[in-house]
Amino acid sequence: MTVEHTAVGRRTPRVDAMDQTTGRIRYADDLNPAGVLVGRQLRSTHSHALIKSIDTSAALALAGVKAVITGADLPVSYGILPVSQDEHALALHRVRHVGEPVAAVAAVDAETAERALGLIDVHYEPLDEIVNLDHALADDLPLIHGEGLGQNVHRKAALEFGDVDEGLAAAHHVREDVYFFRGNTHAALETQAAVASYSADGKLTLWSSTQVPHYVHRSLARVLEMPAGRIRVIATPNGGGFGGKTDPFSHELVVAKLAMLTGRPVKINLSREDVFYAHRGRHPVLMWVKTGFESDGRITAMHFKSFLDGGAFGSYGPASLYYTGALQATTYRIPNYRFEGVRVFTNKPACGPKRGHGTPQARFAIETQLDKAADDLGLDPLAIRVRNLIEPYSMTVNHLRITSCGLSDCIDDVIKASGFAEKRGKLPPGRGIGLAVGCYMSGAGLPIYFNKMPQSEVQLKVDRGGGVTVYSMATDVGQGSTSMLAIVVAECLGLEPGDLTMVTADTDLTPVDLGSYSSRVTFMAGNAALEAATKVRQRVVDAVANHLEAVPEDLLVEGGHVHVVGDPDSGVTWAEGVVLATVADGPLIESGSYTAPKLAGPYKGAGVGISPAFSFTACVVELECDAETGLVDVADVWVAHDIGKALNLLHSEGQVEGGVYMGLGEALFEEHAFRGALHRGPSLLDYKIPTTLEMPPVHTTLIESDDPEGPFGAKEVGQGPLLPVIPAVANAIHDALGVHIDEVPMTPDKIVAAMRNSARGGSGRIGPSAVPDFDFGEAVMVEPPEGFVAP
């Protein structure tokens, strides 16, 4: 059976004005005096189908159309991970989800490009679609990748540290719970866009709103089969990323190919609907947790299972899978731990990394289970956490190294500030308060592709007038990385950040940084910048010391001057010191780099979760919840975050508040919802995110634990503060109404259903009841690390 493509799901170009002379509508995309062509992509209307034929002749014949391409023009596969090279810039032979790009055009304006898409004739042969976990684990449905029938399993893992069965058998109390965290998306206010230009001498330049120019550069070289030295990628400042712009994307590759074919600049700007199809958002994860406790609340063992719906492609999927099991032991001393997980393919847009990457789902499960266990044991939820807290400068059972850790101070702060001890269980009916904690990485310990080169490099050039230019590929996506680099360099050189010139995120001009993901930039690029600045400083200090006939150790660099400590009149200006250094040793150009220490444990999968340092967060949420309507009104949020050292107070507090905002949205509203394989509403009208009306006061405290390896002691703040917000909301709802909502988002209908269940004598719980009986295989047994001390 074949089905003809019908022109549905294409956007209407935004009207900008009407030409009063000709009566022709001018579109916003028409206003390109540089002659930039407008690119558009034709997207599949089928979730799973073979492409029997594509006829582009009518589109090519349309006046104003300069090029039309299909998957045959870009046949080389790609993907962000070396083990996930399973995507094509345009679908080749088969489509795997509604909205997958099938063809693309370049035309003189948006109106013509849209008309051309409607003239492309695609014939499909539909296949059975796989839309959920049960479908994916069935063995009688088509493989999404490959031929024939079978389970659509992408990756699975089974690891055991210590002896979990023994730990559970020794427990005074064992809890077993099942949770479901529905998927959601990033909802960055600015959608993705890219412009490509191909010069007469064969040089390709791509401007893109990406978080990872280095990885996009590599993908372009692979897919276009061009030497990397002939490609330049410039990451433009963009309005939010949150992980949604850390893959190489179809539109980036397509716009480059169209520019090469036409010899003219081509741009593609994704609509909001397009972004929902590109996705790479939070995985839906079904979780099963079995934990043993002693009578005083000490954990004896934990067995954690996760089932991830990965969508149609690999993306970061193997890492996402391991992240759902990696960080459980970073907040609590778990002496015996077993993790089993599986990621499956389905015919939906691919999931990937969203703020916290794979860890918010698991954090929701273990933090709400701890509250339940505390109730079972007659303990306070604060007491059960404190009894199990991880120690600073220790090792976890799964071989993660903990350096500085201010978690205890974080908990103390939010407990005192919120009045948690005085309020929990004592507020009026319908009002509750909840506590949770979290932990996140200050950068992934390994690069995405194996190599021994630095993970971040920074170069400093000082001109003869003392002007300092900082070169770094670190990409600012609104998190303030450019300001951070300026602060680190200026602090070291005794200058003001505004004195510096910053050149960033350009593969031709800046040394490599792997990208803005995993909260890595402050720790890794910051350390690289500090090393480069220290070299510059030392050269200037040595030259000035020689000039003053002083000892370099006696000199101070501050306020644009270099002078002997205690005698500011004795020295020279910064610019004069630069001249002296240049005379002594030539051009004042230095570089710095950062490579994480070797931290991975002795097992497959150990590279996920390792980090040179971890941040820690505690959160208390107080809210009101209407028992009849299920509506939740968050009154206050208290957050204490162990940042190591705050390099920029305003930016750091802003990151905490942004994490709280996003956490509240995921807890109460956001869901990447489908009817079968069809997106329920790919727009911000249907996909609800909080507005200012839903945003409560956020009381932020930054705990400075002064990490010994961070730049000036700093750690991450971009992702960690989100993690405890979601379980804190769940625990507060339970305190308010006595019901358990074990499924995210915790929408009013679920709360009302739980209340009705409780009124009928039920458990007052809403959530999944079981997980699939899946064979994970025999667990790899791993001995705890040397130096691990069980509680």
Side-chain angles (χ1 to χ4, degrees):
M1 172 182 173
T2 62
V3 178
E4 277 197 38
H5 162 79
T6 56
V8 300
R10 298 197 315 276
R11 62 179 176 179
T12 302
R14 180 167 64 87
V15 174
D16 183 78
M18 178 178 287
D19 189 306
Q20 298 299 316
T21 302
T22 65
R24 179 181 178 274
I25 293 174
R26 291 190 299 156
Y27 294 87
D29 288 329
D30 293 346
L31 307 179
N32 48 38
V36 178
L37 299 176
V38 176
R40 289 286 190 267
Q41 293 173 292
L42 181 69
R43 296 182 179 275
S44 170
T45 55
H46 290 263
S47 62
H48 198 196
L50 299 177
I51 300 174
K52 304 304 291 184
S53 66
I54 303 180
D55 185 354
T56 63
S57 58
L60 275 168
L62 182 66
V65 171
K66 301 301 180 182
V68 182
I69 59 174
T70 66
D73 297 295
L74 291 164
V76 179
S77 65
Y78 72 96
I80 185 64
L81 300 185
V83 296
S84 295
Q85 304 289 304
D86 58 3
E87 299 185 59
H88 289 90
L90 297 169
L92 191 64
H93 309 310
R94 182 192 295 201
V95 293
R96 293 174 170 86
H97 68 85
V98 172
E100 182 178 357
V102 174
V105 304
V108 294
D109 56 37
E111 181 184 19
T112 304
E114 293 288 341
R115 288 178 59 198
L117 292 185
L119 296 174
I120 299 174
D121 187 17
V122 185
H123 287 255
Y124 297 97
E125 182 178 312
L127 301 171
D128 289 337
E129 60 184 23
I130 290 85
V131 300
N132 55 39
L133 189 61
D134 289 337
H135 285 182
L137 295 178
D139 55 14
D140 59 350
L141 289 173
L143 293 172
I144 294 175
H145 294 276
E147 303 298 327
L149 308 177
Q151 290 187 324
N152 278 280
V153 172
H154 178 207
R155 284 287 189 279
K156 64 179 182 178
L159 298 165
E160 182 162 353
F161 308 89
D163 191 325
V164 171
D165 290 338
E166 182 180 279
L168 292 173
H172 170 79
H173 176 65
V174 176
R175 267 209 75 94
E176 185 176 319
D177 293 286
V178 184
Y179 297 92
F180 186 44
F181 197 114
R182 295 185 179 273
N184 51 61
T185 197
H186 314 84
L189 293 184
E190 183 183 64
T191 62
Q192 282 100 317
V195 178
S197 176
Y198 190 66
S199 66
D201 62 354
K203 182 71 180 281
L204 174 70
T205 302
L206 176 78
W207 294 263
S208 181
S209 56
T210 179
Q211 297 176 235
V212 286
H214 175 64
Y215 292 128
V216 171
H217 187 259
R218 288 173 55 85
S219 294
L220 286 168
R222 173 186 169 92
V223 173
L224 300 176
E225 300 179 280
M226 286 180 64
R230 306 298 297 168
I231 300 171
R232 179 184 186 185
V233 177
I234 301 170
T236 59
N238 62 81
F242 315 116
K245 299 169 184 175
T246 56
D247 279 76
F249 281 98
S250 163
H251 67 280
E252 295 167 318
L253 303 165
V254 164
V255 79
K257 184 66 174 181
L258 289 172
M260 293 171 67
L261 291 174
T262 63
R264 290 174 61 178
V266 182
K267 66 176 178 179
I268 291 181
N269 182 25
L270 299 191
S271 69
R272 181 62 60 181
E273 183 176 353
D274 294 336
V275 173
F276 274 95
Y277 296 139
H279 192 41
R280 314 302 156 121
R282 187 90 70 211
H283 283 73
V285 181
L286 179 66
M287 295 164 285
W288 175 90
V289 194
K290 186 175 185 180
T291 308
F293 300 88
E294 295 181 7
S295 59
D296 64 358
R298 284 186 175 86
I299 296 172
T300 63
M302 179 182 289
H303 185 182
F304 195 99
K305 296 181 182 180
S306 61
F307 299 79
L308 287 72
D309 180 345
F313 298 107
S315 184
Y316 285 83
S320 307
L321 170 63
Y322 281 100
Y323 275 131
T324 62
L327 301 191
Q328 279 80 332
T330 55
T331 50
Y332 305 115
R333 291 174 293 160
I334 302 173
N336 304 286
Y337 177 56
R338 182 186 302 148
F339 168 64
E340 295 173 310
V342 61
R343 184 183 191 263
V344 301
F345 288 122
T346 57
N347 291 123
K348 292 180 285 191
C351 298
K354 184 186 175 185
R355 202 172 194 168
H357 193 187
T359 64
Q361 299 97 318
R363 184 56 53 183
F364 166 67
I366 62 176
E367 290 295 317
T368 52
Q369 188 187 62
L370 274 180
D371 265 36
K372 294 176 184 180
D375 287 345
D376 295 344
L377 295 167
L379 299 172
D380 180 86
L382 170 61
I384 198 170
R385 287 172 170 83
V386 171
R387 197 150 287 151
N388 289 287
L389 281 188
I390 196 74
E391 296 288 338
Y393 303 99
S394 64
M395 295 291 294
T396 71
V397 71
N398 57 331
H399 292 259
L400 300 182
R401 185 195 70 165
I402 306 297
T403 55
S404 62
C405 174
L407 183 54
S408 179
D409 290 339
C410 290
I411 293 173
D412 289 345
D413 182 272
V414 296
I415 293 297
K416 182 179 179 180
S418 66
F420 179 85
E422 295 77 27
K423 292 178 180 177
R424 188 181 184 273
K426 302 166 189 174
L427 294 171
R431 192 172 183 96
I433 194 166
L435 166 70
V437 307
C439 169
Y440 199 65
M441 308 175 298
S442 296
L446 292 175
I448 285 176
Y449 64 96
F450 177 77
N451 68 88
K452 296 182 179 181
M453 294 179 284
Q455 290 155 275
S456 188
E457 303 163 356
V458 172
Q459 188 177 59
L460 266 60
K461 178 178 72 68
V462 187
D463 64 38
R464 294 184 178 186
V468 179
T469 303
V470 181
Y471 298 87
S472 168
M473 204 181 290
T475 306
D476 203 317
V477 293
Q479 86 281 34
S481 61
T482 302
S483 295
M484 178 277 298
L485 290 170
I487 288 168
V488 168
V489 173
E491 180 72 15
C492 186
L493 300 183
L495 303 172
E496 291 297 320
D499 296 334
L500 277 53
T501 299
M502 308 300 295
V503 179
T504 60
D506 185 326
T507 60
D508 263 15
L509 301 182
T510 60
V512 168
D513 178 82
L514 298 184
S516 293
Y517 63 93
S518 296
S519 276
R520 59 178 298 284
V521 178
T522 292
F523 204 97
M524 297 187 176
N527 266 320
L530 182 57
E531 181 180 284
T534 300
K535 291 178 181 178
V536 168
R537 175 193 175 104
Q538 192 61 53
R539 283 186 58 185
V540 172
V541 165
D542 288 346
V544 174
N546 184 63
H547 173 71
L548 297 177
E549 298 182 349
V551 179
E553 289 75 18
D554 290 340
L555 295 188
L556 185 64
V557 183
E558 64 175 4
H561 288 79
V562 186
H563 59 83
V564 176
V565 175
D567 186 8
D569 296 329
S570 64
V572 300
T573 66
W574 167 258
E576 291 168 337
V578 166
V579 170
L580 292 170
T582 304
V583 170
D585 294 303
L588 195 50
I589 301 172
E590 296 292 346
S591 63
S593 65
Y594 179 82
T595 303
K598 295 181 179 180
L599 298 168
Y603 60 93
K604 183 179 180 180
V608 177
I610 58 172
S611 179
F614 293 92
S615 72
F616 297 88
T617 314
C619 176
V620 168
V621 171
E622 186 172 344
L623 55 75
E624 290 190 1
C625 187
D626 190 295
E628 294 185 0
T629 66
L631 291 173
V632 174
D633 181 14
V634 179
D636 281 284
V637 177
W638 293 266
V639 177
H641 180 74
D642 169 19
I643 194 173
K645 179 70 174 179
L647 301 181
N648 183 311
L649 186 62
L650 182 64
H651 280 183
S652 299
E653 291 180 346
Q655 286 293 298
V656 172
E657 292 175 6
V660 170
Y661 167 86
M662 190 166 282
L664 291 177
E666 295 192 37
L668 299 173
F669 306 111
E670 299 183 40
E671 179 184 355
H672 202 238
F674 293 83
R675 294 186 180 94
L678 187 64
H679 202 292
R680 189 174 294 171
S683 75
L684 292 185
L685 291 175
D686 299 279
Y687 183 90
K688 302 299 183 184
I689 60 177
T691 69
T692 55
L693 297 177
E694 287 81 37
M695 190 64 184
V698 178
H699 312 277
T700 301
T701 302
L702 298 176
I703 302 297
E704 296 191 327
S705 60
D706 194 16
D707 192 83
E709 297 180 27
F712 298 110
K715 300 192 290 188
E716 80 86 35
V717 68
Q719 303 191 54
L722 178 148
L723 303 180
V725 175
I726 302 168
V729 170
N731 291 336
I733 290 174
H734 175 69
D735 187 47
L737 298 177
V739 296
H740 288 290
I741 312 300
D742 290 345
E743 184 175 303
V744 171
M746 294 166 272
T747 50
D749 59 308
K750 295 170 187 171
I751 295 171
V752 170
M755 292 298 295
R756 290 174 178 171
N757 176 271
S758 179
R760 292 193 298 266
S763 64
R765 175 189 177 272
I766 291 295
S769 58
V771 297
D773 183 17
F774 178 75
D775 181 11
F776 294 97
E778 186 174 349
V780 175
M781 306 299 292
V782 184
E783 288 295 319
E786 183 178 348
F788 173 72
V789 179

